[in-house]
Amino acid sequence: AEGPPHEAMASAVDAAVRSGVLMIDTAQNYGSEAAIGDGLRRSGRDDVFVLCKVDLCTRSREDPRRRMRRQVTESKRKLGRLDAVALHWPLLLDAPASEDDARSVRADAWRELEAMVDEGLVGCLGLSNFDVELMDEIIALARHRPVLNEVEVSPRCYQEELMAACEARGVRVVGYSPYGTCWLAKYFPSFVPWPAASVLDDATVAAVAAEAGCTPA
């Protein structure tokens, strides 16, 4: 993916970190890692937690172990450090695959990520967009258990059962899109009970913001 302009992103990261932001979340396919790395170096801070997500593909396109090694190596070179690496999606993104094939790819990918933890290349491992069943699949085979699951969480997209399952398993929830339009509702409207409208456009949020004298954000 093509990321935002390099200088704009680097300057934004530098300013955010200098203002107290202590976690940066990115992914291989965002196209933003080089700029984020430059911003982190400019800030002079070494206490920012850096999370990067890597993705999966069919075995015929690229061996999952090789793919994990390649993506993590590239991400670390650009970012300068990797405190955590997460599987971005449980799906194989390049083509449809049987559940057995997808499960096999996830297992091999996770084992290679674990090897990189053993080598000190990565601090810890996590998941992203994994439901309870898929999270348990990884936990069952893991030597290094996932420490986080990054999922969409907002007042509208409130995945209570998933968050409770994560807590019960000692997996931290990292929430994304806290203000924005729910992508689940936008692209899979039959999958969730809430609408795709942005939380910032909600009438209750607007009323509270007006009463507090601030913007909905």
Side-chain angles (χ1 to χ4, degrees):
E2 182 178 352
H6 184 103
E7 181 56 33
M9 171 67 79
S11 297
V13 170
D14 180 21
V17 171
R18 290 179 184 273
S19 298
V21 169
L22 292 177
M23 179 180 177
I24 298 292
D25 168 37
T26 185
Q28 269 269 313
N29 61 12
Y30 292 170
S32 58
E33 292 174 315
I36 289 173
D38 281 352
L40 289 170
R41 285 184 283 274
R42 291 179 196 179
S43 74
R45 295 276 295 273
D46 61 3
D47 57 347
V48 178
F49 188 90
V50 179
L51 164 64
C52 180
K53 300 183 291 295
V54 292
D55 55 60
L56 304 171
C57 70
T58 54
R59 195 177 294 274
S60 60
R61 178 168 181 172
E62 188 175 11
D63 176 79
R65 289 180 179 267
R66 186 180 301 114
R67 185 176 182 85
M68 294 300 99
R69 180 72 57 169
R70 176 181 61 77
Q71 289 188 91
V72 168
T73 301
E74 290 177 0
S75 294
K76 188 160 189 175
R77 175 177 58 81
K78 293 174 181 177
L79 292 165
R81 61 182 295 172
L82 284 175
D83 296 293
V85 171
L87 292 178
H88 201 164
W89 295 92
L91 307 175
L92 313 187
L93 298 183
D94 62 320
S98 71
E99 185 49 45
D100 285 345
D101 287 344
R103 186 182 299 110
S104 173
V105 168
R106 288 191 292 267
D108 279 355
W110 191 261
R111 292 183 180 113
E112 187 64 20
L113 293 175
E114 289 180 319
M116 286 185 276
V117 172
D118 294 338
E119 296 165 23
L121 297 175
V122 176
C124 60
L125 303 178
L127 307 169
S128 181
N129 301 302
F130 275 61
D131 63 18
V132 177
E133 181 180 354
L134 291 168
M135 180 170 58
D136 283 343
E137 174 193 304
I138 297 297
I139 289 173
L141 62 85
R143 289 188 299 107
H144 296 291
R145 290 168 60 95
V147 301
L148 62 89
N149 189 10
E150 183 177 345
V151 297
E152 185 169 10
V153 179
S154 73
R156 176 165 281 132
C157 179
Y158 194 70
Q159 302 192 68
E160 186 173 7
E161 291 183 6
L162 177 56
M163 290 191 290
C166 288
E167 182 177 2
R169 290 156 177 77
V171 177
R172 295 284 186 177
V173 173
V174 176
Y176 67 79
S177 296
Y179 307 135
T181 299
C182 173
W183 75 265
L184 285 170
K186 183 176 181 180
Y187 296 105
F188 302 98
S190 63
F191 187 71
V192 293
W194 45 77
S198 171
V199 174
L200 298 181
D201 297 328
D202 184 86
T204 301
V205 173
V208 172
E211 184 177 338
C214 62
T215 67

